[in-house]
Amino acid sequence: MSVRAPVEYAGLTSIKGPLVCVEGVGGVGWDEVAEIRLDSGDVRHGVVLEVAGDLAVVQVFEGTRGLGLEGARVAFGGGPMRIPVGEAWLGRVCSGRGEPLDGGPPVLGTELREIGGRPVNPAARATPRDPILTGVSAIDGLATLVRGQKLPIFSVGGLPHLELAAQVAAQATVRDEPFAVVFAAMGVTNADASMMRDRLELREPSDDLVLVLNTADDPLVERITAPRLALTVAEHLAFDLDRHVLVVMADMTSYCEAVREISSSRGEIPSRRGYPGYLYSDLASIYERAGRIQGLAGSVTQVPVLTMPGEDITHPVPDLTGYITEGQIVLAHDLHVRGVYPPFDPLRSLSRLMRLGAGGSRTRPDHLELAAQLYALVAQARRVADLAEVVGADALSESEARYLTLVDAFEADFVEQGVDEARTIEETLDRGWGVAATLPARELTMVSEAALREHYPGERGRDEGPAG
Amino acid sequence: MSAGSVHRVSGPVLEVEGLEPGMLELVEIGEARLPGEVISLAGQYATVQVYAYTGGVRPGDAVVATGHPLRATLGPGLLGGVFDGMLRRLSGAPALLADGARLPTLDERREWSFTPTVEPGGRVEPGAVLGEVPETEAIAFRARVPHGVSGTLEWIAPAGSVTIEEPIARVAGVDVTLAERWPVRRPRPVAERLRADAPLSTGQRALDLFFPIARGGSAAVPGGFGTGKTVLLQQIAKWCDADVIVYVGCGERGNEMADVLEEMSRLEDPRTGRPLLDRTVLVANTSNMPVLAREASIYTGVTVAELYRDMGYETVLIADSTSRWAEALREVSSRTGELPAEEGYPAGLATALAAFYERAGRVRTLGGDDASVTILAAVSPPGGDMTEPVSAHTRRFVRCVWSLDPDLAYARHYPAVSWRDSSTRDAERVGEWHVARHEPGWAARRGRALRLLADADRLESIAQLVGATSLPDRERVTMLAGRLLREAVLQQSSLSANDAYCSAAKQEALLELALDLHDACAGVVERGVPIARIDELDLSPATRARDVAGPDDAAAVQAVAEQLRGEIWGLA
Ligand SMILES: Nc1ncnc2c1ncn2[C@@H]1O[C@H](COP(=O)(O)OP(=O)(O)O)[C@@H](O)[C@H]1O
Ligand SMILES: [Mg+2]
């Protein structure tokens, strides 16, 4: 992972917190990777935080505990961290630094790339279009994931967001085009890691999965490198090898906590809730790596997963994420308590690029109207439910009462599905029509006559009561 | 020019020795010639902030001073192009951006067809027009005598082809070219500032009818994520009646810039019949591009707007988002060890914001034209907290606040412009302008509609507690009017073919529709007709009128009003 034969410097000048100073260095640049090799054989990793004259300040990610001024040698890597890229990654499991965790040989690639990536020229981007279908009705039907989009899942500790992320990664497809999934797990428990590995076995036959695993007990630095490594591999698969690549990254809150920890050990001035002022730019350097490029066939699509501490959507992690990503899928605690999986909150969820990925021949011509209608119905149902709280359900008119039935149908027949159940888009949309048909056709004002004739269930004409 | 070398590197901030630059001078670092700006001088060291990723920069790397501050090359060829925060051309550049890549702003070889508009021999002053080239089919680039040059016009080029660096005239011994260089942090001079009173028509009803902005005014659009800041600003960029639009994507999404670019190339300007891109300059310094170029992008953008203003055009600068600009300021100041003020922002934040918004205005240009720069800027408060420093200070310096309400956005009421929290200081002047145009009723109608909206809100919250049926019919009519104003007038979908843009005539017609129906309902209720009978009427044609009628079709709206008015009065 280095570009030139590293020069070693023996001995440290000073150690303070996680920072070590090395004197007498030459040709060391800022942001260069470094290895600190102890006489004990222990190897630690770091990065150059500052260079002044012949003095380099290195931050040691694993901490400086047990380090002495003598007995350590520092080797500089000659540049920012690089990894090999190529198809050899498919089917592999590795750590956040790219070391194999599957017992296989180290991954050798066709070339080395810096994991920080390069910004895509905004004038060379192509707007996202066409869907990635996940087989999950709530997502495909109401918050369609579009190729080149970044669409996060906002969740809360204790909810099944990792199950949902694994389900999306396991089931995702793009019709007949070449596809790959890169899954980066950051700071997850070992139990969750093995759950996800089991779920993702579904993908094994297609041999198009890369798994980057950083568990809670792994080094902090690998939490920082894991998403970047995943994206570097993904970008190569997408833009050099013409694949559509879905990158799932969970849990971005653990990632941000690692950024905060490193920032505070550098003594930087904190901004909101102790997170550094550059967290927005840092997250953007990850999320903005989603996209399509004019003239190239592939795409990088991201589904970051994060937990909102205290279910607070204004917490810096969801807040800054929401400012960068293109919509969000919000999971709600009360739905989970009622046993709904996935606990998808339709009112707070939105895929901003849905119109570019759904409808017409991309999914089905009635898709966008149906989705708009369902959103409106669920919003209206929410108001009726609030009213029922005040006046009592008995005081509702017949047409109002139907909305309460509608919500039940929406949750039970549309949203609710098994963790390993993959639905086709046709099934998803037909189920959506089933929900809408709780109401008489004439109340479905957001769908066209043609769509009603074709999809409204039952034999009866559009001015009749509900079907069935 | 002098040369020195890097002593210390810490992120985007360097210490350089052996150089004797001036403050804010531009320097170039290393083989890649990364651009940097001198931000402080102390003893043998100069502190430099770098407009690129500094990974791999090492002590000893050469630093060359350029002798000038950060400046932009201004000339024909800006319109229709995409540029980064330093006005380096991105259109046609590689798909992945390399640090320090040389990306010239303008095509130096392109031949422009020049037509002189003055005869040689007379005396000319800065700003005087010398001739023009058709920059796009929509806009002529007017070449002027540059700032600091005056005297006898000794020679002027005949009609014919010129490149941007070839002389088109000689004034008192100085060659004048189409291209000029301007330090972006310095406002371009004007002859005098004028009072702004003519409204900028944005094509958005919630703004033009309720919170209008004058040409030369400034507006902030604060709102949390997903409330619709970008969509609103893009709608204005597409449909407002300015001559030139400078759209700055400052620290925001790359996909959005691709979207604007695509839309602007596709959509036709109704006034010129040319693609909207012909009147637009895009500055795209997305969130993943170097943070210092992001900081500069706001100044670069407003400088370009001033350039076209100086040619006599009505220009609009759109900045999405100024919060990202302020954050860039904060990132740099924290690296240079500046003492932070509120929330880590440098103490100079308020001054910097004030100075930026001061660059808006209606002016008499040096060339004697009446022209303007209007500034419209998004503000993205962290956690939606409107008391945070950028939101709080911005309010002090702008004339209009178009506040976006997250509850309206959740309810998919778009644009989510709050009628409670928005404000404009231009309403009175715009009202006077309408009076001068023989529309004396404008201000009164606006006032009545705003009052109805506020009354309806108040009644709505009472109804939540006691149930609407326990309110007197007269008040329920007010609630109905509030609903009509919200659904028939204020809502305007950016996706609607007929309604994404709305002409002034259709705007008036829709507002009158809602107010007329209010009059009619109030009238019949006064005559004893129970409100339940009104509730039985199908008033949905009123809320559908905005989508059904074409953007200029006031008559169709008036027909709906007529019909419904008849139905309502028919109850009495
Ligand atoms: N006028 C509008 N018409 C229709 N949809 C809108 C409108 N304004 C906003 N939206 C919806 O809201 C979403 C978020 O808007 P956006 O402008 O990107 O928010 P912000 O910039 O404040 O984060 C859009 O993707 C779109 O779905
Ligand atoms: Mg936005």
Side-chain angles (χ1 to χ4, degrees):
Chain A
M1 274 170 220
S2 57
V3 280
R4 60 144 202 254
V7 191
E8 276 196 350
Y9 297 92
L12 307 173
T13 311
S14 67
I15 305 178
K16 188 176 170 220
L19 309 183
V20 300
C21 291
V22 193
E23 224 166 17
V25 302
V28 171
W30 182 75
D31 211 22
E32 201 165 299
V33 290
E35 272 184 13
I36 299 94
R37 301 179 185 146
L38 310 192
D39 285 351
S40 63
D42 191 10
V43 176
R44 299 192 192 177
H45 304 92
V47 64
V48 175
L49 273 194
E50 188 173 317
V51 270
D54 68 348
L55 186 80
V57 181
V58 176
Q59 172 159 35
V60 184
F61 292 117
E62 292 90 346
T64 48
R65 194 191 186 107
L67 227 57
L69 294 180
E70 310 289 320
R73 284 155 299 136
V74 182
F76 293 95
M81 181 173 164
R82 297 176 184 220
I83 53 148
V85 289
E87 242 158 7
W89 281 100
L90 296 173
R92 300 300 306 268
V93 184
C94 71
S95 74
R97 300 183 59 78
E99 279 138 14
L101 294 177
D102 51 7
V107 180
L108 298 177
T110 45
E111 62 178 290
L112 292 172
R113 293 241 171 122
E114 285 182 15
I115 65 165
R118 294 211 163 275
V120 175
N121 178 352
R125 280 184 188 264
T127 37
R129 73 170 127 78
D130 300 321
I132 291 181
L133 294 174
T134 65
V136 177
S137 289
I139 299 176
D140 294 350
L142 294 179
T144 316
L145 180 60
V146 184
R147 298 175 202 171
Q149 183 181 19
K150 38 205 182 287
L151 183 61
I153 296 175
F154 284 12
S155 184
V156 188
L159 298 196
H161 46 271
L162 294 177
E163 283 81 353
L164 181 61
Q167 182 174 15
V168 166
Q171 296 179 175
T173 54
V174 290
R175 293 221 171 117
D176 308 318
E177 293 179 61
F179 187 56
V181 175
V182 181
F183 194 109
M186 285 97 67
V188 298
T189 63
N190 283 287
D192 280 333
S194 67
M195 176 278 289
M196 291 191 280
R197 283 179 84 155
D198 286 349
R199 294 277 160 81
L200 290 169
E201 267 173 17
L202 273 176
R203 276 221 98 83
E204 235 156 59
S206 42
D207 197 34
D208 59 1
L209 176 75
V210 184
L211 183 54
V212 181
L213 259 186
N214 165 266
T215 52
D217 51 357
D218 283 336
L220 202 63
V221 59
E222 299 185 6
R223 217 154 292 163
I224 305 289
T225 55
R228 296 186 162 82
L229 181 146
L231 285 163
T232 306
V233 171
E235 280 170 348
H236 184 261
L237 290 171
F239 301 130
D240 291 71
L241 302 176
D242 293 343
R243 286 179 185 248
H244 296 290
V245 188
L246 171 64
V247 184
V248 181
M249 301 180 288
D251 175 334
M252 288 304 291
T253 307
S254 303
Y255 167 85
C256 292
E257 281 161 0
V259 172
R260 174 170 67 177
E261 200 171 324
I262 289 171
S263 166
S264 92
S265 70
R266 288 175 181 178
E268 291 168 345
I269 303 163
S271 158
R272 296 215 156 194
R273 307 228 191 165
Y275 288 93
Y278 54 77
L279 186 62
Y280 175 83
S281 300
D282 185 281
L283 284 171
S285 75
I286 293 177
Y287 297 146
E288 275 294 314
R289 291 173 79 172
R292 293 172 60 232
I293 293 177
Q294 285 168 24
L296 300 182
S299 61
V300 173
T301 308
Q302 296 183 13
V303 175
V305 180
L306 57 88
T307 42
M308 302 182 277
E311 207 164 346
D312 176 8
I313 204 165
T314 69
H315 181 279
V317 176
D319 188 53
L320 295 178
T321 297
Y323 268 124
I324 305 167
T325 54
E326 288 137 350
Q328 64 279 334
I329 291 167
V330 183
L331 305 187
H333 197 251
D334 58 327
L335 289 169
H336 178 61
V337 171
R338 289 213 302 280
V340 180
Y341 174 88
F344 172 84
D345 180 345
L347 295 185
R348 289 195 292 165
S349 299
L350 170 76
S351 164
R352 297 196 192 191
L353 304 185
M354 183 162 166
R355 72 192 154 88
L356 304 172
S361 59
R362 293 179 291 263
T363 53
R364 211 169 77 179
D366 56 313
H367 189 166
L368 289 175
E369 324 171 32
L370 174 64
Q373 182 70 72
L374 286 174
Y375 270 123
L377 292 178
V378 173
Q380 179 61 19
R382 180 71 55 97
R383 283 191 285 273
V384 171
D386 288 347
L387 185 63
E389 299 257 305
V390 181
V391 300
D394 297 341
L396 296 180
S397 69
E398 195 188 330
S399 74
E400 283 170 335
R402 278 207 206 100
Y403 278 94
L404 299 183
T405 321
L406 181 129
V407 173
D408 292 341
F410 177 74
E411 287 174 6
D413 303 338
F414 184 81
V415 173
E416 171 70 37
Q417 75 183 77
V419 286
D420 49 9
E421 178 189 356
R423 292 186 187 150
T424 63
I425 186 70
E426 282 74 26
E427 181 182 352
T428 289
L429 297 179
D430 290 345
R431 281 172 178 268
W433 280 105
V435 173
T438 319
L439 297 186
R442 79 183 123 75
E443 286 189 34
L444 306 180
T445 54
M446 301 181 85
V447 289
S448 62
E449 301 258 348
L452 274 177
R453 265 197 305 277
E454 195 170 341
H455 300 289
Y456 190 84
E459 302 276 300
R460 285 183 267 180
R462 56 159 301 184
D463 283 308
E464 302 283 321
Chain B
M1 292 218 188
S2 59
S5 64
V6 172
H7 170 67
R8 177 195 298 269
V9 192
S10 168
V13 176
L14 310 183
E15 252 170 38
V16 170
E17 58 192 340
L19 202 63
E20 280 166 23
M23 272 301 276
L24 296 184
E25 183 169 343
L26 201 71
V27 299
E28 293 181 337
I29 299 120
E31 268 168 42
R33 296 168 68 186
L34 306 180
E37 189 175 31
V38 176
I39 53 169
S40 75
L41 295 167
Q44 67 191 108
Y45 295 118
T47 306
V48 170
Q49 57 178 20
V50 185
Y51 288 91
Y53 169 63
T54 51
V57 174
R58 25 180 88 103
D61 283 355
V63 180
V64 180
T66 62
H68 59 77
L70 174 64
R71 60 188 194 178
T73 304
L74 305 174
L78 291 169
L79 290 170
V82 184
F83 305 86
D84 78 356
M86 299 177 73
L87 213 65
R88 291 179 292 201
R89 191 176 203 87
L90 295 175
S91 332
L96 295 179
L97 296 173
D99 296 314
R102 318 249 95 204
L103 302 170
T105 303
L106 300 173
D107 181 350
E108 282 162 20
R109 284 190 306 268
R110 175 155 176 195
E111 304 265 339
W112 296 96
S113 143
F114 177 74
T115 310
T117 50
V118 287
E119 296 288 327
R123 188 184 159 78
V124 289
E125 300 293 331
V129 177
L130 297 168
E132 57 182 51
V133 303
E135 184 175 357
T136 62
E137 287 191 35
I139 299 289
F141 184 95
R142 301 190 181 123
R144 289 136 309 112
V145 177
H147 188 53
V149 175
S150 60
T152 309
L153 178 61
E154 292 159 2
W155 171 78
I156 185 141
S161 284
V162 286
T163 63
I164 54 166
E165 300 291 4
E166 278 168 0
I168 51 155
R170 196 165 48 246
V171 177
V174 180
D175 279 344
V176 177
T177 57
L178 288 173
E180 73 174 297
R181 286 168 186 78
W182 189 263
V184 297
R185 296 182 194 281
R186 178 139 52 94
R188 290 171 62 87
V190 298
E192 79 183 291
R193 292 179 80 93
L194 305 174
R195 197 178 113 117
D197 50 12
L200 177 79
S201 155
T202 66
Q204 303 297 303
R205 286 186 296 274
L207 307 181
D208 293 350
L209 289 173
F210 294 93
F211 304 103
I213 183 169
R215 292 165 182 272
S218 51
V221 184
F225 68 80
T227 51
K229 300 179 293 297
T230 301
V231 171
L232 184 67
L233 291 175
Q234 288 185 0
Q235 289 306 102
I236 300 174
K238 287 177 202 160
W239 305 120
C240 78
D241 64 348
D243 300 313
V244 172
I245 310 290
V246 183
Y247 189 102
V248 185
C250 173
E252 293 278 317
R253 305 176 179 91
N255 281 339
E256 280 173 357
M257 294 313 293
D259 192 37
V260 184
L261 186 59
E262 243 178 63
E263 292 262 291
M264 295 277 196
S265 324
R266 189 176 58 78
L267 293 170
E268 191 176 277
D269 186 338
R271 296 173 313 146
T272 61
R274 300 290 311 159
L276 283 168
L277 199 59
D278 272 10
R279 67 159 192 182
T280 312
V281 180
L282 292 171
V283 177
N285 209 98
T286 55
S287 55
N288 55 337
M289 288 164 71
V291 68
L292 275 157
R294 186 203 298 174
E295 193 271 331
S297 66
I298 292 283
Y299 298 107
T300 308
V302 74
T303 301
V304 172
E306 288 171 346
L307 169 76
Y308 288 94
R309 173 202 66 191
D310 291 348
M311 295 178 209
Y313 293 115
E314 302 288 325
T315 62
V316 170
L317 172 84
I318 291 178
D320 185 10
S321 158
T322 50
S323 296
R324 307 300 165 219
W325 163 75
E327 286 164 8
L329 269 184
R330 176 170 70 183
E331 274 185 44
V332 181
S333 69
S334 76
R335 303 256 183 195
T336 52
E338 206 179 306
L339 213 55
E342 303 154 278
E343 298 201 10
Y345 287 104
L349 174 70
T351 327
L353 278 168
F356 167 64
Y357 285 107
E358 273 308 292
R359 291 177 78 168
R362 193 175 140 231
V363 304
R364 171 105 49 240
T365 65
L366 293 182
D369 292 307
D370 180 342
S372 66
V373 172
T374 305
I375 296 184
L376 312 177
V379 179
S380 319
D385 170 10
M386 297 295 174
T387 63
E388 59 87 35
V390 182
S391 307
H393 288 306
T394 298
R395 272 171 191 276
R396 297 167 49 206
F397 306 125
V398 294
R399 296 194 56 84
C400 304
V401 178
W402 297 330
S403 205
L404 301 187
D405 180 343
D407 289 332
L408 290 177
Y410 272 151
R412 311 269 199 276
H413 170 117
Y414 296 123
V417 176
S418 164
W419 47 93
R420 264 159 289 172
D421 302 332
S422 299
S423 60
T424 173
R425 287 196 250 163
D426 289 341
E428 206 173 307
R429 292 178 184 183
V430 170
E432 288 165 15
W433 181 87
H434 279 284
V435 171
R437 303 252 312 219
H438 311 291
E439 298 159 4
W442 185 88
R445 223 176 21 227
R446 167 176 183 266
R448 176 176 162 204
L450 281 173
R451 265 192 312 280
L452 269 176
L453 283 165
D455 288 346
D457 281 349
R458 185 175 47 78
L459 294 170
E460 207 88 31
S461 54
I462 297 173
Q464 290 275 302
L465 299 175
V466 301
T469 41
S470 37
L471 292 177
D473 280 3
R474 196 170 35 80
E475 306 209 312
R476 290 178 64 190
V477 168
T478 304
M479 281 168 63
L480 176 70
R483 191 168 64 79
L484 280 172
L485 283 169
R486 293 194 300 270
E487 294 178 8
V489 185
L490 286 170
Q491 288 188 21
Q492 189 174 356
S493 168
S494 63
L495 299 175
S496 163
N498 274 337
D499 203 34
Y501 158 76
C502 183
S503 67
K506 182 179 167 191
Q507 297 195 5
E508 307 264 309
L510 282 165
L511 182 56
E512 285 194 357
L513 161 75
L515 296 178
D516 277 4
L517 297 192
H518 175 232
D519 285 338
C521 293
V524 295
V525 162
E526 196 143 301
R527 294 190 191 184
V529 175
I531 182 104
R533 302 245 344 258
I534 297 179
D535 285 344
E536 280 162 17
L537 289 179
D538 180 11
L539 295 182
S540 67
T543 45
R544 273 205 304 271
R546 58 184 160 90
D547 267 329
V548 174
D552 292 305
D553 197 353
V557 177
Q558 283 152 355
V560 172
E562 180 113 352
Q563 179 218 330
L564 292 176
R565 216 165 34 216
E567 285 182 27
I568 296 167
W569 279 113
L571 298 173

